[in-house]
DNA sequence: CTGGCGGTC
DNA sequence: GACCGCCAG
């Protein structure tokens, strides 16, 4: 055969190869999404799960939480935001429901009505758009905290968008977030839902090379400062909340990463 | 994206 | 109370 013929054959083979490869990749991703719910506890909630100071951990398919009955909200909500979770699908916004999995009785959404505060998602609805079920599951009252609207739609929203950016960039991140339930707090509603004075977010990435962490502590008010101004060490968040964030991590690594307040490994 | 709210049945 | 559609930053 002529050289040109060989070249043509090889070119076609490469093109077919790429298509087959992509097809297999897409199939694998879809299979992963289908399994998401069943594997949530094993994948999302095992290794990086924080400790509970309230002894009430609840696992949902899309996230886990530790519920604080005295403050009528979660002390933390934890979930893995995989790159494959990121989706542009629009879902109709459902109504908030009382989380029946909370045995002590989760707060009613009525506490928030006319309170002047948003029902602020802890696990954002936008992080669970991959299925309608996952999206709707974020509308449980165990996943919300009273948030000032300017804060929620402002700097906090900006941080949540940055988390999605990192999930895309670093092939997924594990997220732990909540209000700091300590000190003197305002309360709202008949059940007295505490209004946190600070909110935190702790991230760990173990998917893109060496394991890295970053933590944010934000006063409960909107700000025009850049996000990195709110970076603190994980140790600082632990000191405020009493939560041990990554107890399953090897001690040496945990101690080193949690003491650091450097954000050089995180692209802003 | 983050949400509230008023009107209707 | 549930639902729809409109509203704002």
């Amino acid at each position: 055969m002529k050289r040109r013929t060989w070249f043509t054959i090889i070119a076609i083979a490469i093109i077919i190869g790429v298509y087959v490869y992509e097809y297999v990749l897409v199939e694998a991703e879809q299979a992963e999404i289908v399994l998401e719910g069943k594997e949530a506890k094993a994948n999302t909630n095992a290794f990086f799960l924080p400790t509970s100071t309230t002894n009430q951990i609840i696992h949902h398919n899309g996230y886990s939480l530790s519920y604080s009955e005295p403050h009528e909200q979660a002390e933390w909500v934890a979930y893995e935001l995989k790159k494959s979770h990121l989706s542009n699908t629009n879902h109709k916004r459902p109504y908030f429901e009382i989380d029946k999995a909370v045995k002590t009785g989760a707060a009613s959404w009525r506490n928030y009505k006319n309170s002047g505060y948003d029902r602020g998602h802890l696990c954002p609805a936008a992080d669970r758009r991959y299925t309608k079920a996952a999206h709707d599951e974020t509308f449980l009252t165990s996943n919300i905290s009273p948030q000032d609207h300017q804060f929620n739609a402002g700097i906090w929203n900006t941080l949540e968008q940055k988390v999605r950016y990192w999930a895309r960039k670093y092939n997924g991140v594990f997220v732990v977030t909540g209000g700091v339930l300590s000190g003197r707090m305002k309360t709202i509603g008949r059940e007295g839902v505490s209004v946190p004075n600070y909110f935190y977010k702790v991230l760990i990435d173990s998917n893109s090379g060496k394991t890295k962490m970053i933590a944010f502590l934000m006063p409960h008010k909107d700000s025009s400062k850049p996000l990195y101004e709110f970076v603190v060490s994980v140790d600082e968040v632990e000191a405020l909340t009493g939560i041990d964030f990554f107890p399953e991590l090897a001690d040496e690594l945990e101690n080193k990463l949690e003491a650091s307040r450097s954000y050089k490994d995180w692209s802003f």
Side-chain angles (χ1 to χ4, degrees):
Chain A
M1 274 188 272
K2 291 182 179 176
R3 254 166 94 168
R4 175 180 271 181
T5 311
W6 274 112
F7 180 77
T8 306
I9 289 170
I10 289 166
I12 289 169
I14 288 170
I15 289 165
I16 291 171
V18 166
Y19 271 97
V20 168
Y21 176 72
E22 279 183 354
Y23 179 77
V24 168
L25 218 62
V26 167
E27 287 293 301
E29 272 182 6
Q30 283 176 349
E32 189 181 6
I33 289 170
V34 170
L35 288 170
E36 207 68 58
K38 290 176 182 174
E39 293 187 346
K41 291 175 189 65
N43 282 350
T44 307
N45 305 329
F47 192 72
F48 293 125
L49 216 58
T51 61
S52 170
T53 71
T54 60
N55 203 27
Q56 188 171 202
I57 293 181
I58 287 149
H59 300 291
H60 291 300
N61 286 328
Y63 59 94
S64 296
L65 65 102
S66 168
Y67 197 80
S68 169
E69 185 55 30
H71 297 294
E72 288 293 4
Q73 66 197 276
E75 64 169 345
W76 53 254
V77 166
Y79 60 98
E80 185 174 10
L81 181 56
K82 298 186 181 187
K83 193 175 180 179
S84 63
H85 287 152
L86 298 169
S87 160
N88 291 320
T89 311
N90 276 314
H91 303 286
K92 188 181 166 188
R93 198 166 233 262
Y95 297 94
F96 280 97
E97 283 182 20
I98 297 171
D99 186 350
K100 288 171 185 161
V102 176
K103 288 182 180 124
T104 54
S108 163
W109 55 269
R110 291 181 187 83
N111 292 294
Y112 291 75
K113 197 163 176 73
N114 298 320
S115 70
Y117 288 92
D118 279 9
R119 305 155 169 104
H121 278 86
L122 293 174
C123 175
D127 285 6
R128 306 280 87 158
R129 287 167 71 171
Y130 49 91
T131 64
K132 174 154 175 53
H135 172 263
D136 288 1
E137 196 182 45
T138 68
F139 285 76
L140 294 171
T141 56
S142 54
N143 184 43
I144 58 174
S145 179
Q147 288 185 329
D148 170 78
H149 183 68
Q150 299 304 317
F151 171 77
N152 186 22
I155 188 82
W156 190 249
N157 184 21
T158 305
L159 177 57
E160 290 176 336
Q161 292 184 41
K162 188 64 74 179
V163 171
R164 285 189 283 277
Y165 164 77
W166 283 327
R168 195 172 297 113
K169 188 180 181 68
Y170 302 134
N171 192 27
V173 288
F174 191 90
V175 186
V176 186
T177 192
V180 176
L181 304 179
S182 62
R184 229 176 246 170
M185 287 179 279
K186 221 184 296 186
T187 62
I188 59 167
R190 292 185 183 178
E191 294 177 282
V193 180
S194 299
V195 180
N197 295 313
Y198 294 88
F199 286 89
Y200 70 86
K201 211 176 272 289
V202 176
L203 309 177
I204 183 166
D205 163 34
S206 59
N207 296 329
S208 59
K210 63 174 182 177
T211 302
K212 61 176 183 281
M213 282 182 200
I214 194 166
F216 295 85
L217 181 68
M218 292 186 165
H220 188 180
K221 62 179 181 198
D222 195 22
S223 169
S224 56
K225 290 181 187 171
L227 285 177
Y228 54 77
E229 300 252 347
F230 298 96
V231 171
V232 296
S233 69
V234 175
D235 283 342
E236 288 173 73
V237 181
E238 290 187 339
L240 281 172
T241 60
I243 299 163
D244 183 3
F245 281 94
F246 304 110
E248 301 296 331
L249 222 54
D251 285 345
E252 194 184 337
L253 186 63
E254 181 185 356
N255 293 339
K256 179 188 157 193
L257 292 177
E258 293 187 356
S260 168
R261 60 188 302 163
S262 164
Y263 49 86
K264 65 176 168 51
D265 293 333
W266 297 79
S267 156
F268 283 81

